[in-house]
Amino acid sequence: MAQTDEQGRLIREIKPLEGMRKVIAERMTFSKHEYPQGTGQVQLNVDKVFQFRKELMEKKGIKVSFGDLYVKAAACALEENMALNASRQKERIIYYEDINLTVQATINGALMEPVLEHADRLDIEEISAKLKQTYEYIRKGRLMKVKLEGGTFSVSNLGGSLIDSQQPFVSPPQGAIFGINRNRVLPRFDGEGNVVPANITTFALTIDHGLCDGAEVVRFFASLDKVLQDPWTWMYHKRPAPEG
């Protein structure tokens, strides 16, 4: 006999909230309730990124994804905005020297959060290789080889989807998360006032307002745009390791 709910709606299936789905629900509820959050968004021209990626493939035979490029761009922008590389814990704000990016990815139907350590000390080729290897370990279930803790800043990449805009939740106790959305070709004015097609991507940055304010979002996006307009320099930029 078909089962219905109290309002007479036919039920197809009932499943318990458990496992990964329960963990995600609990973490997101905690994030929203305990961390006052605000999201800023910006549309940036990424024509130079497209050109750089094409040249990298043609001259070196190296294929990197746009996600790889934007992860590196986030690391470079974060280097100039270290107030975002922090966490708020028990009435304290902890600022980190290490830039360890938690790169959220859905693999085999599950949300995973592998950590890319010292992303600021890696060039684009190294980042691409490390992420490819990490994703392969996850697909094969070799999670002992994947670092899942120790992130200082998160990246949510929806660039391969149809999502134009997102408002990602921070991942406590981290204080900020960077969101990548799909690229679109849109009309823009060039320097001479002509309408031309341009590759435009919307980026998001959600912050914990208990840690910092919207001014940090503005500065981060300014740094990000600087990187995206000169990928030939920044994609091979490496921040020196601290002494001592």
Side-chain angles (χ1 to χ4, degrees):
M1 183 177 177
Q3 186 177 3
T4 59
D5 68 2
E6 67 279 0
Q7 296 183 26
R9 294 171 295 199
L10 188 63
I11 296 173
R12 180 170 62 87
E13 184 181 12
I14 297 177
K15 286 185 176 181
L17 180 62
E18 60 186 8
M20 182 60 72
R21 191 74 265 153
K22 183 177 181 181
V23 171
I24 292 173
E26 290 173 346
R27 288 182 58 189
M28 292 300 96
T29 300
F30 175 73
S31 172
K32 194 67 174 178
H33 285 178
E34 300 296 327
Y35 288 75
Q37 299 176 37
T39 302
Q41 297 184 338
V42 65
Q43 289 187 340
L44 296 179
N45 187 315
V46 293
D47 281 341
K48 299 290 181 62
V49 177
F50 273 69
Q51 185 180 346
F52 171 81
R53 181 173 182 264
K54 181 180 179 182
E55 290 180 6
L56 193 62
M57 293 174 63
E58 292 177 347
K59 294 180 179 179
K60 292 182 134 183
I62 297 173
K63 184 177 181 180
V64 301
S65 71
F66 286 104
D68 298 336
L69 292 162
Y70 295 142
V71 164
K72 175 58 179 173
C76 292
L78 191 59
E79 182 182 335
E80 295 188 345
N81 299 274
M82 292 294 280
L84 295 170
N85 194 50
S87 66
R88 183 166 60 91
Q89 305 177 41
K90 296 180 180 179
E91 305 302 321
R92 299 184 302 163
I93 296 177
I94 302 172
Y95 297 98
Y96 299 105
E97 185 63 29
D98 291 332
I99 293 180
N100 299 340
L101 300 186
T102 300
V103 184
Q104 297 181 351
T106 300
I107 301 175
N108 295 338
L111 177 65
M112 303 297 296
E113 297 184 318
V115 174
L116 179 66
E117 292 186 289
H118 308 304
D120 53 320
R121 304 181 204 170
L122 305 173
D123 65 32
I124 183 56
E125 296 178 33
E126 293 168 327
I127 282 179
S128 181
K130 283 183 176 291
L131 288 177
K132 284 185 176 72
Q133 183 66 79
T134 296
Y135 298 153
E136 186 63 22
Y137 284 146
I138 294 174
R139 289 188 188 96
K140 293 181 177 179
R142 301 172 67 182
L143 298 184
M144 292 295 292
K145 290 184 172 290
V146 179
K147 185 171 181 61
L148 297 172
E149 297 180 344
T152 62
F153 181 92
S154 288
V155 177
S156 171
N157 182 13
L158 298 179
S161 71
L162 293 177
I163 300 298
D164 294 327
S165 176
Q166 61 171 310
Q167 292 185 321
F169 285 6
V170 296
S171 182
Q174 294 179 24
I177 180 170
F178 174 60
I180 304 163
N181 303 292
R182 71 165 176 161
N183 178 79
R184 293 180 294 165
V185 178
L186 298 173
R188 287 293 186 269
F189 289 103
D190 64 13
E192 299 178 354
N194 301 310
V195 177
V196 296
N199 287 288
I200 304 296
T201 297
T202 300
F203 298 97
L205 184 67
T206 299
I207 60 166
D208 167 19
H209 271 297
L211 183 147
C212 61
D213 297 311
E216 296 294 343
V217 177
V218 174
R219 286 190 281 267
F220 179 87
F221 283 146
S223 295
L224 180 69
D225 189 44
K226 180 175 66 174
V227 173
L228 298 179
Q229 300 315 312
D230 185 15
W232 295 271
T233 297
W234 287 97
M235 289 298 131
Y236 287 96
H237 165 75
K238 291 186 180 183
R239 181 174 178 236
E243 297 181 0

